[in-house]
Amino acid sequence: MELFRIGGKVVGRSKLIDAIDAILQDRAAGATQEEAARNAGVQRSFVSILETVGEVRRGPRVALVGFPVANCEEVRALAEKHAVDFVLVVSQEQREYIENGSPAEVFNRLLETLSVLRDFDTLVLIASDWRIRTVERILRTEVVGIPLGATPLREDKAVDIAQLDAVLAAVTKAAPATVGRQSRMGGRLREAAEDIAGRWTQSRKS
């Protein structure tokens, strides 16, 4: 444990980090600032200050899905820059590996993914023109399509990073109606999205 002598006190860095993690997990799970503060044994103002210092962005919940993408790492890095909530970007090789898995498992995971995506405010979809139109009909969320070409697409296509940057800047911008909105679904949605993205990733690396 890294210790700091501050006047007459000795402060443990790991103890601070553990406390902050617990507060953030409580808040992400839907606890109020007052509830999170009470659980951590601190004042509510501390929780408020903590969120202000650590805030990356506020506004709509945004998901990004893309396939088959040639410059996956560039796209993921840009999504991270804009603090996109859910990112699933695969190349054609990764896509074929997924498609060659158990049909039942792939189908069930696809249904789970679509179910989670319905709870996002905006989905940025990078895919073929037909795929974009199909997903728009399935989901009740707003879909912003970036076409990679005509269906069927069986080879990687490079995403225009400048165009994607502009799109993500627009869709992640806080709208008046969403600023400061508190949602008890927020934490559970993020956990579900991370779980699904992780399972797709695991299937690509297995």
Side-chain angles (χ1 to χ4, degrees):
M1 177 184 292
E2 189 174 2
L3 302 175
F4 296 86
R5 165 69 65 176
I6 304 175
K9 301 177 183 177
V10 176
V11 177
R13 183 174 181 272
S14 62
K15 185 176 181 180
L16 280 175
I17 292 174
D18 289 345
I20 291 171
D21 283 345
I23 290 170
L24 295 178
Q25 287 170 6
D26 279 350
R27 289 288 285 144
T32 65
Q33 288 186 347
E34 186 66 41
E35 290 168 341
R38 186 164 56 249
N39 290 341
V42 298
Q43 295 182 345
R44 187 202 62 78
S45 58
F46 174 77
V47 177
S48 177
I49 292 170
L50 190 65
E51 292 178 13
T52 299
V53 171
E55 182 177 299
V56 176
R57 72 170 178 88
R58 61 175 65 192
R61 295 166 296 185
V62 177
L64 170 65
V65 175
F67 61 92
V69 174
N71 50 341
C72 290
E73 292 306 317
E74 282 187 286
V75 172
R76 294 189 190 108
L78 189 60
E80 183 176 356
K81 168 191 167 185
H82 288 281
V84 173
D85 300 277
F86 173 84
V87 181
L88 179 59
V89 182
V90 297
S91 66
Q92 179 59 26
E93 180 182 3
Q94 294 166 332
R95 176 186 177 187
E96 289 175 355
Y97 185 87
I98 293 169
E99 292 173 344
N100 290 333
S102 163
E105 181 182 349
V106 172
F107 181 71
N108 289 337
R109 195 174 301 168
L110 177 61
L111 291 181
E112 284 183 279
T113 305
L114 289 172
S115 176
V116 167
L117 289 175
R118 285 167 65 91
D119 287 323
F120 282 88
D121 300 301
T122 303
L123 166 64
V124 178
L125 180 60
I126 306 169
S128 64
D129 51 4
W130 181 83
R131 300 283 185 187
I132 292 172
R133 291 195 299 270
T134 301
V135 171
E136 285 176 336
R137 290 194 294 267
I138 293 173
L139 297 180
R140 62 169 175 253
T141 191
E142 177 186 7
V143 177
V144 178
I146 299 180
L148 290 178
T151 301
L153 272 184
R154 304 303 296 179
E155 61 182 19
D156 290 338
K157 297 290 183 180
V159 177
D160 185 327
I161 293 299
Q163 178 191 16
L164 180 60
D165 192 19
V167 168
L168 293 180
V171 299
T172 57
K173 184 179 180 181
T178 59
V179 171
R181 180 178 59 186
Q182 296 294 324
S183 171
R184 288 186 175 268
M185 280 300 295
R188 290 193 292 273
L189 175 59
R190 177 176 285 276
E191 287 175 4
E194 289 177 349
D195 176 63
I196 288 174
R199 280 186 282 144
W200 282 118
T201 302
Q202 288 169 5
S203 67
R204 296 201 305 268
K205 293 180 178 178
S206 299

